[in-house]
Amino acid sequence: SKDSVNIEYITLILPPILNSQVVGIANAGFDYEGNFYGDFVVPYLEFDIAGCLLRMNRPDLDLDDQRMFFESVVLKLPAAIGGATCTINGVKISPSGLEFTGGRFELPDFTVGGGLVFKNIFVDVMIDGTDYSIEGGGSVFVPGLGSELSAMVGFANVSDTYPWGLKYARFEFEIE
């Protein structure tokens, strides 16, 4: 408008110390009183902290509501200490505290003892108000049997649909 400075879109490339990330400002400007308006466009923020990868996806800062929101936050440990990954979804930080809508924890494939090989081990947690769901699974290769045992299990609030809280339990044993 004629009473403000308008910015349709600006792209900013951050310095290498900030991983040369690209951020933008869209539909923004300053009104005649000097107040800023507009949207920050940041696909993700990614940092290396002591060899761990921290990635914050789709950050959103709401100054009026005094809150910061991330679609997801991912922490990946270095391969040298296992390489596990933890994802937290729907992260909201505000004066009332920290909230999230769920997450996922994954272990890299690993071998223990006399050759038990564990693969695709994970746990998912979903939270929607007072409703929750916890699901997990993975598989193990048993030496000597030449076969793999896989399992997946899911739990939810006790309800008419899930009177014991068990959504499903699946087990599979393949003999080769």
Side-chain angles (χ1 to χ4, degrees), residues 57-62 67-71 90-93:
N57 294 308
R58 297 189 52 129
D60 182 30
L61 177 63
D62 186 332
R67 72 165 180 85
M68 185 177 295
F69 178 82
F70 300 97
E71 185 175 274
V91 177
K92 178 181 166 186
I93 304 167

Side-chain angles (χ1 to χ4, degrees), residues 119 139-142 144-151 171-176:
K119 297 192 287 186
S139 61
V140 61
F141 176 80
V142 182
L145 292 179
S147 55
E148 186 172 280
L149 171 65
S150 298
F171 301 93
E172 185 177 298
F173 184 66
E174 293 182 21
I175 299 176
E176 296 177 7

Side-chain angles (χ1 to χ4, degrees), residues 51-52 75-86 105-111 118 121:
C52 299
L75 177 65
K76 183 169 176 77
L77 299 177
I81 57 172
T85 301
C86 180
F105 183 75
E106 298 175 57
L107 291 177
D109 298 349
F110 61 96
T111 303
F118 290 85
I121 306 293

